[in-house]
Amino acid sequence: MELDSAVLENGASKQLNGAEPTVLNNGGGAGSSGPASPNGGGVEGVQGADGELMKKPDGPLDDKLKHKRVRKLSRSNSKDGVLGVAGTPNFVAPHRKWKNSRRSRNGYGRGLPKKGGAGGKGVWGRPGSEEVYDELDEDPNDPNFDIDAYNSSHNVELKEIVPQPTEAEVVKKLETIVLEYFEHGDTHEVADALEDMLPPGMKPLVTKTFVAVALEHKQSQRELTSVLISDLYGRIVTRETICAGFDLLLANLSDIMLDTPDAPHLLGNFIARAVADDCIAPKYAYDSDREDLDQHAQAALVRATTLLSMHDGWGQLDNVWGVGGALRPVQTITQQMTYLLQEYLLSRDLSEAQRSIKELEVPHFHHELIYEAIIMTLEAFNESTEVAICELFRTLDSTCIVTPEQMEQGFRRVYEDMTDIVLDIPLAYSILDRFIQRCQRAGSFLSEALIKDIPTR
């Protein structure tokens, strides 16, 4: 109270001297800007003309300032909003995190790293910047100016050039295609492969290559080749290109015969089949007196003329290659094997027998050949027949024409049927035992288990 009375007296003396009224904060002196006393309640006083102290009520702005002074800063994650600059109320990120942050320091942009590689230490620069040096104009007055190099680099006209494959490359691709065709037998797939591959002037190589490859294969592959030529006619090849392909084969027939001795006979079959399929005109086969043909080529055309002149008509030419492989009935294959063995027993020609067995194209049915040969041996009751059949078995085993599994399966079929065979051949057991001992002495193509399982009466 003593302090308040002193302040009032001081204010009164200043008023008498012409001073202006002074606004006093409760709890502070004149002109004090310190914080309000906790007991003062934040009430300000104004000294009037009569020297009495008047109180000023608190307004709403003063209440807001009070609350703002006691407000505490709350930390927030940098992911929730944009970080501010140091010193602002929303700057809460630690210095290390702020240092390693890839966001913009000035608050602009999306905070993404620079793209394009146009700057920085140890970089090559923006892609395409290496062409800047080429775009610089060259000075013709430069002593090192090369007029020839300048003209060669500025007066250039580019043209598209499609490289054409050579004949050897085309032949190699055609051989691969026809060998794959022998596996799947789909002519449409071959046509699709040839549409974009062949240059216009090399279409005669289709007939030449396909037939040349088929000459080195079996009858079934030759039948597939004739079907392929017929299906490609009108889509890939024409009548002229087929005739041109046969002309190439006739001209090289002497060289083809080195690998295929019966090439004139086979080529004549191909020409006759092409005429029957309406791929080439009949006059091509009948024109065998041309001067540009040698004797082998003329023989091939004579063979084609003979087939076309048969009284049965051209319909029988559909079977010019026969029916090969497993497409034939079992009775037909068995009958052909019987004829083959009878011919061998008369001629004793092992090479001819091997060739005939290969032409059957039934490696899965060779056990029937072994069975029929043993039955013939038992029925003949002749030592010379036993020797011939034993030599045939040894040759077939050494040349791998007949596999050991097929050989053993044929013998075991005879073992199983001995009870029925002995009814027709009373001495079948003794003849079989003697024949197996002869085969055992001739070679090791019979297994020990097969020899131990010889049936006895």
Side-chain angles (χ1 to χ4, degrees):
M1 295 299 293
E2 295 178 357
L3 180 60
D4 295 336
S5 61
V7 171
L8 292 175
E9 292 177 358
N10 188 14
S13 60
K14 288 184 178 180
Q15 185 179 6
L16 295 176
N17 296 329
E20 296 180 358
T22 305
V23 180
L24 301 177
N25 290 332
N26 190 13
S32 174
S33 62
S37 173
N39 299 326
V43 180
E44 295 180 353
V46 179
Q47 186 175 4
D50 53 356
E52 294 183 358
L53 182 64
M54 296 181 293
K55 294 183 178 180
K56 182 180 180 181
D58 295 338
L61 181 60
D62 297 334
D63 295 337
K64 291 183 181 180
L65 293 177
K66 292 179 183 179
H67 292 293
K68 187 174 181 181
R69 291 173 184 172
V70 299
R71 183 180 300 171
K72 296 182 180 181
L73 296 177
S74 61
R75 294 182 179 273
S76 61
N77 193 358
S78 61
K79 295 182 180 180
D80 298 335
V82 180
L83 296 178
V85 186
T88 57
N90 60 343
F91 178 75
V92 293
H95 292 287
R96 181 170 296 277
K97 292 184 178 180
W98 180 249
K99 176 185 174 216
N100 297 330
S101 176
R102 301 175 65 184
R103 295 180 179 271
S104 177
R105 265 54 167 187
N106 54 9
Y108 297 102
R110 296 183 298 164
L112 300 177
K114 292 191 299 182
K115 300 296 183 180
K121 182 179 180 182
V123 297
W124 289 91
R126 187 183 299 276
S129 61
E130 64 274 3
E131 299 179 358
V132 175
Y133 299 100
D134 298 336
E135 298 176 358
L136 297 177
D137 296 333
E138 298 183 5
D139 187 7
N141 298 325
D142 189 353
N144 297 325
F145 179 73
D146 190 355
I147 186 62
D148 296 332
Y150 180 83
N151 293 333
S152 62
S153 61
H154 289 75
N155 300 328
V156 176
E157 182 180 359
L158 300 179
K159 295 183 179 179
E160 182 181 2
I161 298 177
V162 179
Q164 296 293 333
T166 62
E167 182 176 349
E169 295 175 350
V170 173
V171 170
K172 186 176 180 180
K173 292 181 180 179
L174 291 175
E175 290 177 352
T176 304
I177 292 174
V178 72
L179 290 176
E180 292 178 356
Y181 166 70
F182 290 160
E183 298 294 333
H184 56 74
D186 189 358
T187 57
H188 296 286
E189 183 175 346
V190 177
D192 294 339
L194 294 178
E195 281 183 344
D196 299 331
M197 188 198 76
L198 285 176
M202 294 188 180
K203 290 187 176 181
L205 294 177
V206 175
T207 305
K208 175 181 178 295
T209 306
F210 287 178
V211 174
V213 173
L215 292 177
E216 300 176 357
H217 286 73
K218 300 177 182 179
Q219 298 287 78
S220 58
Q221 282 81 14
R222 294 164 188 166
E223 173 67 21
L224 289 174
T225 304
S226 296
V227 173
L228 178 60
I229 294 175
S230 177
D231 290 349
L232 294 181
Y233 173 71
R235 180 177 178 182
I236 302 298
V237 294
T238 61
R239 181 166 300 180
E240 291 75 13
T241 55
I242 294 177
C243 292
F246 280 125
D247 289 339
L248 295 175
L249 290 170
L250 293 174
N252 298 328
L253 196 56
S254 300
D255 297 335
I256 298 175
M257 289 180 62
L258 298 177
D259 298 328
T260 310
D262 56 343
H265 179 84
L266 300 175
L267 184 57
N269 292 353
F270 273 110
I271 295 175
R273 177 64 179 271
V275 173
D277 292 338
D278 199 19
C279 295
I280 59 177
K283 65 179 182 180
Y284 180 83
Y286 287 98
D287 191 8
S288 60
D289 297 333
R290 292 186 293 177
E291 298 180 355
D292 58 335
L293 302 178
D294 57 2
Q295 57 179 356
H296 302 296
Q298 292 177 357
L301 292 179
V302 169
R303 169 65 180 175
T305 304
T306 303
L307 293 175
L308 294 173
S309 302
M310 296 178 67
H311 298 289
D312 296 337
W314 292 355
Q316 51 86 26
L317 292 178
D318 292 338
N319 297 325
V320 67
W321 301 115
V323 181
L327 300 177
R328 290 166 290 182
V330 176
Q331 293 80 4
T332 304
I333 299 176
T334 304
Q335 186 178 7
Q336 290 179 353
M337 289 180 175
T338 303
Y339 292 155
L340 183 154
L341 293 172
Q342 292 176 356
E343 182 181 356
Y344 165 70
L345 292 176
L346 293 176
S347 62
R348 306 295 175 91
D349 189 354
L350 290 172
S351 60
E352 180 65 21
Q354 295 177 28
R355 186 188 64 82
S356 300
I357 294 173
K358 290 179 180 179
E359 288 182 354
L360 292 176
E361 301 182 28
V362 284
H364 59 284
F365 202 58
H366 282 169
H367 60 85
E368 179 69 20
L369 176 68
I370 304 301
Y371 178 85
E372 294 293 336
I374 296 175
I375 296 299
M376 283 187 180
T377 303
L378 299 178
E379 292 176 349
F381 192 55
N382 188 352
E383 184 178 359
S384 62
T385 303
E386 294 179 10
V387 173
I389 297 298
C390 179
E391 183 66 19
L392 177 63
F393 286 176
R394 186 190 65 80
T395 305
L396 294 178
D397 179 76
S398 60
T399 55
C400 298
I401 297 177
V402 177
T403 61
E405 292 78 11
Q406 294 290 324
M407 184 77 70
E408 183 174 353
Q409 185 177 356
F411 272 91
R412 292 194 179 277
R413 286 183 56 193
V414 176
Y415 291 176
E416 296 173 357
D417 296 343
M418 283 300 293
T419 56
D420 296 333
I421 295 173
V422 74
L423 298 177
D424 299 330
I425 308 172
L427 299 178
Y429 283 99
S430 59
I431 298 173
L432 179 63
D433 183 67
R434 184 176 61 191
F435 177 71
I436 291 179
Q437 291 179 4
R438 185 183 299 275
C439 292
Q440 185 179 7
R441 292 192 301 268
S444 59
F445 56 89
L446 297 181
S447 63
E448 295 294 335
L450 182 63
I451 296 174
K452 290 179 181 180
D453 294 341
I454 298 177
T456 58
R457 187 182 291 272

